[in-house]
Amino acid sequence: RLSAGCSSPLKTADRGCLPADMESDPGAQARGAPRSVANVTALRAISVSITTIDTNTTTLAQRFRSAQELAKVLADIGEGDVGARRVCSGHDAPLLLVALMNEAGESNAQRRVPLLTCLASLVRFIGPEELKDQRLWMLLQRMLFQSDATSVHHALAAIAAITRQEECLAFVCGTPMAKRLQQALGSLAAAEHSATAALAQQVSSRLAAAAAA
């Protein structure tokens, strides 16, 4: 799936595909619209990475490297940045990473951890309409039970970011997985890794408050 103005993956890789107003007038946001802190180079890099991951003719290695590059760029951009949100949205990018994880093999930690790192960064710039798919949530729940602390932490970070959106929080609370998730969070709240424990407590409290509302 290529956005308007991008006729081929090769053309996309050359310059990236940005929304038309950002491509033609990068200063437009300064005249009243919400301002993006991310620069045009970063936004183009995001666009190229997502398009590469979504291109069937690219190899698994190329898509995996693009996911790593995407994670690196997104890590330097504040959550919810307007420009990054616009470039990341509309591609079902979270599901692209789920599919890539399935292809790469989630049992392989060397592949699993970088893809979870990317997913945890990506969901900070995705709207609720692309974050309610059961395939995404099945993956995230499985990752909470991985043996390595890094995978667990990134999966939990993704869940924390998603549930900061009220619509997503309501979605989770309205499904049977809410109970299973709370049980997993209860165990993780006692994790040795303090950052993971804090995230688990945070998400658990958020779910409990939403359920009681």
Side-chain angles (χ1 to χ4, degrees):
R1 292 182 296 276
L2 299 177
S3 58
C6 296
S7 58
S8 71
L10 179 60
K11 185 175 182 181
T12 301
D14 285 341
R15 66 174 183 83
C17 294
L18 301 181
D21 57 339
M22 297 175 69
E23 185 72 60
S24 61
D25 187 1
Q29 293 174 358
R31 297 192 293 272
R35 185 176 179 84
S36 173
V37 176
N39 61 44
V40 172
T41 300
L43 297 179
R44 284 177 174 160
I46 293 168
S47 178
V48 168
S49 292
I50 291 175
T51 301
T52 301
I53 295 169
D54 193 25
T55 302
N56 293 332
T57 55
T58 55
T59 65
L60 174 60
Q62 288 173 318
R63 282 177 278 136
F64 182 79
R65 284 195 299 271
S66 289
Q68 290 178 300
E69 292 164 3
L70 178 60
K72 184 177 180 180
V73 175
L74 291 176
D76 293 329
I77 303 174
E79 182 168 340
D81 180 90
V82 174
R85 192 176 179 95
R86 293 177 66 190
V87 175
C88 290
S89 297
H91 309 280
D92 283 329
L95 290 185
L96 294 178
L97 291 179
V98 171
L100 185 56
M101 178 79 82
N102 289 338
E103 186 176 354
E106 64 183 56
S107 62
N108 184 327
Q110 291 184 324
R111 293 178 176 178
R112 179 179 67 244
V113 172
L115 292 177
L116 284 174
T117 302
C118 183
L119 184 59
S121 285
L122 175 67
V123 296
R124 299 180 302 129
F125 306 98
I126 300 293
E129 63 280 356
E130 295 182 54
L131 296 173
K132 299 178 184 179
D133 194 285
Q134 290 292 334
R135 289 167 290 182
L136 171 63
W137 284 98
M138 288 174 63
L139 173 66
L140 291 174
Q141 289 180 89
R142 288 198 304 275
M143 294 301 103
L144 293 179
F145 295 95
Q146 287 295 329
S147 58
D148 69 293
T150 304
S151 293
V152 173
H153 182 79
H154 286 309
L156 194 50
I159 292 171
I162 294 171
T163 55
R164 280 196 286 271
Q165 299 190 53
E166 291 187 8
E167 188 175 333
C168 293
L169 180 59
F171 164 75
V172 173
C173 289
T175 65
M177 72 175 164
K179 183 177 180 180
R180 297 193 300 271
L181 191 54
Q182 276 289 34
Q183 291 172 341
L185 293 171
S187 298
L188 292 173
E192 293 182 5
H193 193 293
S194 59
T196 298
L199 267 180
Q201 292 169 357
Q202 178 189 117
V203 177
S204 180
S205 297
R206 189 178 297 149
L207 289 174

